Amino acid sequence: MQYKDYYAVMGVDKGATQDEIKRAYRRLARKYHPDVSKEADAEKHFKEVGEAYEVLKDPEKRAAYDQLGANWKAGQDFRPPPDWDAGFEFSGGGFTDGDASQYSDFFESLFGQGFGSAFRSSQRGGGGFHAPGQDHHAKVLIDLEDAFHGATRSITLHAPELDPRGHVITRERTLNVRIPKGVRQGQQIRLAGQGAPGIGRGAAGDLYLEIEFRPHPPYRVDGRDIYLDLPVSPWEAALGAKVKLPTPDGVIDLTIPAGSNSGRKLRLKGRGIPAASPGDLYAVLQIALPPADNAKANELYRKMAEELAFNPRAGLGV
């Protein structure tokens, strides 16, 4: 997948105002409209301009796109970091109901199903001079341990908005948030009254924080279950052993059954993320070979090769 420089497509500077972006789009849309344009590849250029405008016209998507950084160049291989949009506060506007697949893979990877999927509660109803405020949403990163014990964390959010001259800026605010024990990845925490202010006597909207865990090697999270690859020696796997196993809740003893193979999953019931029905923890055995980096080790490997009738490729018929 190639990175797209939407500012270059629109022919505007990265500091362009929203009005300048709108004018550039109108000019380019007229130039490349397939019904009237005599330019080569007019339809292709028309679609590229439409995609760039879909992002840059929306202050929220534009701010999120800008924070990817200035180190990317058009045409470079690109994969968005998994937490690229964390910490941005969105109101749910912009491209929330369209079909991201009509645009490029680059657009869909950023603004497709994942982007704004939790940001679609949209505007509340209201009438007259009094209307409740809009709900806001943000994805936030927490440590896996917070889900085991609960915590109170200081979280800084960045809210895109327009300054009086039409430039996109971000307003920061910091909130102390209680993380409940047992929170799951993808779960939302509701902060009442922390969304957009209401109109007149209308109540303020709410703020919904979507939880995502920071990368935490060696653990992998699947729902409430947790997986980790556990290195074991060949003799521990063959003969059985009791080994130390790290968990997010502390180190425990784990019994390795004799005759275990690499890839075997050992289930520790109830050791996953806490809940009324807690998840499980799975230790996935990975046999680690000692290096043959000295004379004694080499001699031991030679003895095994001579004395053990073992063909690891027997299952392949060779």
Side-chain angles (χ1 to χ4, degrees):
M1 181 171 58
Q2 293 183 340
Y3 179 83
K4 288 185 175 291
D5 186 339
Y6 290 135
Y7 291 99
V9 171
M10 297 289 289
V12 297
D13 185 77
K14 289 188 176 181
T17 66
Q18 295 302 98
D19 284 342
E20 289 170 337
I21 289 171
K22 184 184 295 185
R23 288 195 296 270
Y25 170 71
R26 289 174 175 171
R27 175 177 55 82
L28 293 172
R30 287 194 299 269
K31 179 178 180 180
Y32 293 119
H33 197 287
D35 292 342
V36 297
S37 178
K38 294 182 172 55
E39 299 281 342
D41 296 326
E43 185 174 357
K44 174 186 174 183
H45 290 307
F46 185 75
K47 289 181 178 179
E48 289 177 342
V49 169
E51 177 178 324
Y53 185 57
E54 187 63 53
V55 174
L56 300 185
K57 74 177 182 181
D58 180 352
E60 294 182 344
K61 284 202 297 297
R62 182 180 176 183
Y65 170 76
D66 286 349
Q67 70 90 35
L68 283 171
N71 297 326
W72 299 98
K73 295 182 179 179
Q76 282 186 329
D77 288 338
F78 174 79
R79 288 292 181 273
D83 58 346
W84 74 278
D85 57 346
F88 273 82
E89 184 176 339
F90 297 92
S91 65
F95 188 81
T96 53
D97 298 315
D99 180 8
S101 63
Q102 67 180 300
Y103 297 118
S104 69
D105 291 343
F106 174 77
F107 180 98
E108 189 168 13
S109 71
L110 298 180
F111 305 110
Q113 187 175 4
F115 183 89
S117 60
F119 312 143
R120 296 182 182 177
S121 58
S122 69
Q123 185 73 35
R124 300 180 176 191
F129 296 100
H130 310 289
Q134 194 173 32
D135 292 342
H136 282 192
H137 303 259
K139 182 187 296 182
V140 296
L141 301 179
I142 67 169
D143 294 326
L144 181 58
E145 287 83 358
D146 292 343
F148 275 77
H149 308 291
T152 298
R153 294 285 179 254
S154 179
I155 294 176
T156 299
L157 300 178
H158 308 272
E161 58 184 35
L162 294 178
D163 69 8
R165 298 181 59 191
H167 294 98
V168 175
I169 59 174
T170 55
R171 171 180 51 83
E172 290 189 359
R173 63 167 170 161
T174 300
L175 301 170
N176 287 323
V177 179
R178 188 181 70 83
I179 308 297
K181 179 179 178 179
V183 69
R184 303 185 313 277
Q185 184 153 274
Q187 184 175 334
Q188 294 186 37
I189 298 174
R190 173 176 171 261
L191 302 181
Q194 291 293 332
I199 299 175
R201 292 193 296 271
D206 299 332
L207 172 64
Y208 291 86
L209 301 179
E210 181 184 353
I211 296 298
E212 186 165 309
F213 296 132
R214 291 188 179 91
H216 195 323
Y219 306 113
R220 303 184 299 279
V221 179
D222 182 8
R224 292 197 181 276
D225 295 334
I226 297 175
Y227 294 78
L228 79 157
D229 294 332
L230 179 66
V232 295
S233 67
W235 47 90
E236 289 171 335
L239 304 176
K242 182 170 287 188
V243 302
K244 297 294 184 183
L245 175 71
T247 79
D249 209 21
V251 177
I252 63 173
D253 291 325
L254 176 68
T255 298
I256 307 297
S260 292
N261 294 319
S262 190
R264 180 174 184 175
K265 295 178 183 178
L266 301 182
R267 176 186 176 213
L268 286 81
K269 187 176 180 179
R271 290 278 188 172
I273 294 177
S277 297
D280 301 326
L281 187 146
Y282 292 88
V284 184
L285 302 186
Q286 304 291 337
I287 296 178
L289 296 177
D293 55 0
N294 57 61
K296 185 175 182 179
N298 274 277
E299 181 61 25
L300 287 172
Y301 275 117
R302 275 193 290 269
K303 284 185 177 181
M304 283 193 291
E306 294 169 359
E307 298 180 14
L308 298 178
F310 176 62
N311 177 11
R313 294 167 295 281
L316 301 176
V318 295

